[in-house]
Amino acid sequence: MARVISYITASQLLPLARNPKVAIVDVRDEERTYDPHIAGSLHYASDSFYQNIPNLLRDVHGKDTLVFHCALSKVRGPSCARMLADYLSEKKVGAEIKNVVVLERGFNGWRTSGRPVCSCTNIPCNGGDAQKASQSQ
């Protein structure tokens, strides 16, 4: 059975982002290297996403909701979310992952709406450098 991909707004994600069962997956490519990001997000570049799905599944062990985004969540975010959903269905793995979601308007929408961003260079991000987007500009 194919998994359904749903969408979430920045306002809906903000309270969920603190939930230990939720993982935010940033699939931006090179821009993630030098741009801020959503605090605590995992980075899996879209250009190598499929081959890194096993690593992602290891990193999100125990999570039940994965929220994908790219810059605008028009192409890379939704396509990687679909790739993961198809992989989970085909391989019959990841039963604990109940929701595969895409952040509407992506990182750019998150940031321009004043949501907190992080500028750390830690891998993985621990969110220690998070601040309101308006303060970091």
Side-chain angles (χ1 to χ4, degrees):
M1 180 171 90
R3 290 177 179 246
V4 174
I5 306 293
S6 57
Y7 285 77
I8 189 171
T9 65
S11 295
Q12 293 168 319
L13 177 57
L14 190 59
L16 285 179
R18 294 180 210 91
N19 184 328
K21 294 281 194 177
V22 175
I24 301 170
V25 184
D26 184 339
V27 296
R28 293 178 294 161
D29 294 323
E30 293 302 316
E31 66 268 35
R32 170 65 190 254
T33 306
Y34 53 84
D35 275 356
H37 50 275
I38 297 174
S41 62
L42 302 169
H43 182 232
Y44 281 88
S46 65
D47 60 0
S48 59
F49 182 77
Y50 188 81
Q51 55 266 41
N52 284 307
I53 289 176
N55 296 332
L56 172 64
L57 292 177
R58 183 195 66 234
D59 288 347
V60 300
H61 180 73
K63 310 289 185 188
D64 65 11
T65 300
L66 303 186
V67 181
F68 283 79
H69 77 83
C70 57
L72 300 171
S73 289
K74 291 189 177 212
V75 177
R76 294 175 291 178
S79 66
C80 289
R82 172 54 44 212
M83 225 182 290
L84 176 69
D86 291 347
Y87 181 94
L88 296 175
S89 294
E90 290 168 13
K91 304 287 186 189
K92 309 256 187 275
V93 296
E96 71 276 3
I97 299 172
K98 306 293 185 215
N99 305 297
V100 178
V101 182
V102 176
L103 175 61
E104 288 180 1
R105 299 180 57 225
F107 177 76
N108 293 355
W110 174 271
R111 186 177 191 178
T112 59
S113 67
R115 304 294 185 237
V117 297
C118 185
S119 297
C120 79
T121 56
N122 302 331
I123 299 175
C125 170
N126 62 12
D129 191 29
Q131 54 186 307
K132 284 284 193 188
S134 59
Q135 295 171 340
S136 65
Q137 296 176 355

